[in-house]
Amino acid sequence: MCKIKLLHCADIHIGAELSYIGNKSKQRREEILMTFDKIVSICGEENIQLLLIAGDLFQSSNMDKDIVSSVKKSLKKIPNTIVAIAPGNHDYISIDSFYLDEDWPENVHIFKSELEFIEFKELGLRLWGAGFTSSYITSSMLSSAESINNFQDNMVNICIIHGDLISENQTSNYNPISVSQLKSSGMDYVALGHIHKRTEILKAGNTYYAYSGCCEGEGFDELGEKGVIMGTVMKTMCSLEFCPICKRMNLELRVDISGTNTNNEAAEIVLNAIKNYEKSLHTKSEMLKQVQQTSSESIPVIEPLQYSKHLYKIILEGALDANFKLDCQAIAARLESEVFFIKINDETHIEIDMDSLTKESSLKGIFARKMMDKINKSINIGNNTDANKYRKALYIGLKAFERDII
Ligand SMILES: [Mn+2]
């Protein structure tokens, strides 16, 4: 039976501006390109037959020539791997698209518009794909398939497409694809791109499908491990696994600094929280190793990265003395040399002696009394959502009395 060894990746966004990390953005942009090169090397080392790049390989349809030629050169290094590219909404095929260049290596196949297929008889593979021709595609490109059911043979049908997985009757500007369309597609595997958060390997009817997610988190809305999907696909069967390959992770940690009196102390608590978080990652990896040792397939175990390599968004919380002037920038400055990037947000509140405060006849006392009334009333009728909302308003209000609020 034909068995295709593949690597599925998507949404690499080469060339993305990463202004949120300031002067580190240039380095990070280069690292994204390095991660792409790493994917190419894995294809060579692991004898991958099919590399699927499911859209938004580049940040835009108008890229610097040097970057495009670096990608072309890289792909030329794996002549034995079939490379399939399905352009997405970011790198769609425009009139002067670099995807229309004639000097892409011979092993690279770019899908340039509606769904079509290429057959690789020697591999028993029928490769399907479609590409964005503008930023928006409002009707599904998958439904325009020439009925795959005409092909009653033993070839493995794999499809690569950039699009938005929607519930039935929902709409999307980014090639809406529904589960029922996947189910009736007749494909053995559909490699999806567009959603940066990966999914498990899912199944609709006899069709397996997945989003590999992006390869490097490019913001604090793209947290945790990022990577590719690797494994084998056969007729109506697949053995695919997520493999993390990211150079760094974007992580968000909530750290309680209640009772802290100095920024130095707060910085130490944050650093400890970061180190403890890394320990928990190691434990997870150890457990994964044990599972993999008992499994028949050999999957490369990737060690978790060192905490210092990552990008952190730290949210400080807890109760602080009113006289302590918390300085997030000072804390970040203390930790800048410890990690690749750190950003600190303040969600702490002032430690308050409510009993004496609500007895004060000052404006602050009246405010506290009124807010406490609202909180207690909400608690009495069991409305915790409102109680929390008023509590938050009370803390923000009290902060305004104590410190400057922007
Ligand atoms: Mn996209």
Side-chain angles (χ1 to χ4, degrees):
M1 192 183 266
C2 297
K3 196 173 177 181
I4 310 294
K5 191 168 183 191
L6 64 80
L7 188 155
H8 162 199
C9 64
D11 298 282
I12 304 177
H13 288 268
I14 293 169
E17 296 289 338
L18 301 162
S19 49
Y20 77 109
I21 49 172
N23 61 3
K24 296 280 174 74
S25 64
K26 208 168 176 187
Q27 181 181 348
R28 194 76 185 116
R29 265 166 60 192
E30 206 53 34
E31 285 175 0
I32 290 171
L33 204 51
M34 286 158 78
T35 295
F36 172 75
D37 288 339
K38 186 170 164 188
I39 292 173
V40 174
S41 335
I42 293 174
C43 287
E45 287 153 18
E46 301 281 325
N47 296 317
I48 297 289
Q49 293 167 297
L50 180 61
L51 167 59
L52 301 166
I53 305 172
D56 291 357
L57 168 60
F58 296 96
Q59 174 65 8
S60 98
S61 56
N62 183 13
M63 293 292 301
D64 191 282
K65 268 201 172 124
D66 290 347
I67 294 182
V68 178
S69 29
S70 140
V71 167
K72 287 174 183 167
K73 267 187 195 154
S74 190
L75 293 174
K76 208 174 178 173
K77 289 182 193 156
I78 46 165
N80 299 326
T81 303
I82 299 164
V83 180
I85 301 177
N89 56 307
H90 277 265
D91 56 356
Y92 65 89
I93 309 258
S94 54
I95 288 177
D96 54 354
S97 169
F98 46 79
Y99 282 134
L100 302 175
D101 293 353
E102 307 226 314
D103 61 348
W104 282 91
E106 270 175 37
N107 57 324
V108 178
H109 301 269
I110 299 164
F111 290 97
K112 298 193 174 84
S113 62
E114 286 177 7
L115 197 73
E116 56 181 357
F117 67 84
I118 315 163
E119 288 187 341
F120 299 89
K121 289 246 161 69
E122 67 289 1
L123 294 178
L125 166 68
R126 191 176 292 111
L127 176 64
W128 300 74
F132 272 58
T133 47
S134 69
S135 304
Y136 302 117
I137 301 277
T138 51
S139 56
S140 177
M141 290 196 280
L142 194 61
S143 66
S144 65
E146 176 186 346
S147 176
I148 192 174
N149 299 316
N150 291 339
F151 298 101
Q152 297 294 344
D153 53 24
N154 279 327
M155 288 181 86
V156 179
N157 290 287
I158 293 177
C159 178
I160 175 173
I161 199 161
H162 196 81
D164 213 355
L165 199 56
I166 51 151
S167 337
E168 307 298 324
N169 303 323
Q170 217 188 340
T171 58
S172 166
N173 288 332
Y174 304 103
N175 182 26
I177 298 170
S178 68
V179 172
S180 64
Q181 278 171 349
L182 288 164
K183 194 173 173 180
S184 59
S185 71
M187 303 292 171
D188 296 301
Y189 181 61
V190 180
L192 294 166
H194 185 58
I195 304 297
H196 290 196
K197 193 174 179 187
R198 75 183 167 96
T199 63
E200 297 302 314
I201 310 298
L202 303 167
K203 198 178 183 190
N206 287 324
T207 300
Y208 289 94
Y209 64 97
Y211 279 106
S212 61
C214 55
C215 299
E216 290 284 348
E218 291 176 15
F220 287 108
D221 50 351
E222 298 177 0
L223 300 174
E225 269 180 334
K226 300 289 176 187
V228 300
I229 288 173
M230 255 168 84
T232 53
V233 174
M234 286 170 274
K235 191 106 201 117
T236 69
M237 268 166 78
C238 79
S239 166
L240 295 168
E241 289 277 345
F242 170 75
C243 300
I245 58 154
C246 59
K247 230 174 150 53
R248 304 178 193 281
M249 287 196 269
N250 283 66
L251 298 169
E252 182 182 296
L253 297 182
R254 301 190 81 88
V255 182
D256 191 328
I257 54 160
S258 289
T260 313
N261 282 319
T262 64
N263 290 307
N264 181 12
E265 205 183 338
E268 272 173 31
I269 296 172
V270 171
L271 186 58
N272 274 334
I274 288 173
K275 287 180 179 172
N276 284 335
Y277 184 76
E278 187 193 23
K279 272 186 211 152
S280 75
L281 289 180
H282 277 285
T283 320
K284 210 174 99 189
S285 158
E286 282 302 315
M287 279 161 61
L288 194 71
K289 233 186 248 177
Q290 281 171 12
V291 173
Q292 287 174 353
Q293 273 163 6
T294 56
S295 140
S296 56
E297 290 273 334
S298 74
I299 306 149
V301 176
I302 291 150
E303 294 294 336
L305 303 172
Q306 297 237 308
Y307 73 88
S308 58
K309 289 195 169 182
H310 302 307
L311 298 90
Y312 293 88
K313 177 182 173 184
I314 304 292
I315 301 161
L316 299 177
E317 45 186 24
L320 297 181
D321 189 286
N323 296 319
F324 169 39
K325 212 164 167 54
L326 181 74
D327 184 342
C328 289
Q329 281 181 339
I331 297 170
R334 280 178 180 272
L335 297 173
E336 251 160 30
S337 59
E338 299 281 350
V339 294
F340 181 75
F341 176 78
I342 190 158
K343 168 190 173 173
I344 298 193
N345 286 8
D346 177 13
E347 284 188 20
T348 59
H349 57 264
I350 296 167
E351 202 169 36
I352 317 154
D353 177 355
M354 269 304 161
D355 277 350
S356 53
L357 180 59
T358 48
K359 281 174 196 135
E360 275 183 26
S361 57
S362 62
L363 184 60
K364 190 174 154 192
I366 298 167
F367 167 73
R369 204 152 53 236
K370 291 209 164 191
M371 292 310 287
M372 281 312 291
D373 274 353
K374 284 181 187 289
I375 293 167
N376 290 333
K377 270 182 196 155
S378 304
I379 291 171
N380 286 343
I381 57 165
N383 189 341
N384 282 330
T385 317
D386 272 5
N388 283 333
K389 210 163 69 188
Y390 289 130
R391 209 168 276 135
K392 209 169 178 185
L394 169 66
Y395 290 140
I396 292 172
L398 290 177
K399 249 186 201 180
F401 280 102
E402 298 297 337
R403 307 175 189 161
D404 292 333
I405 288 275
I406 302 156

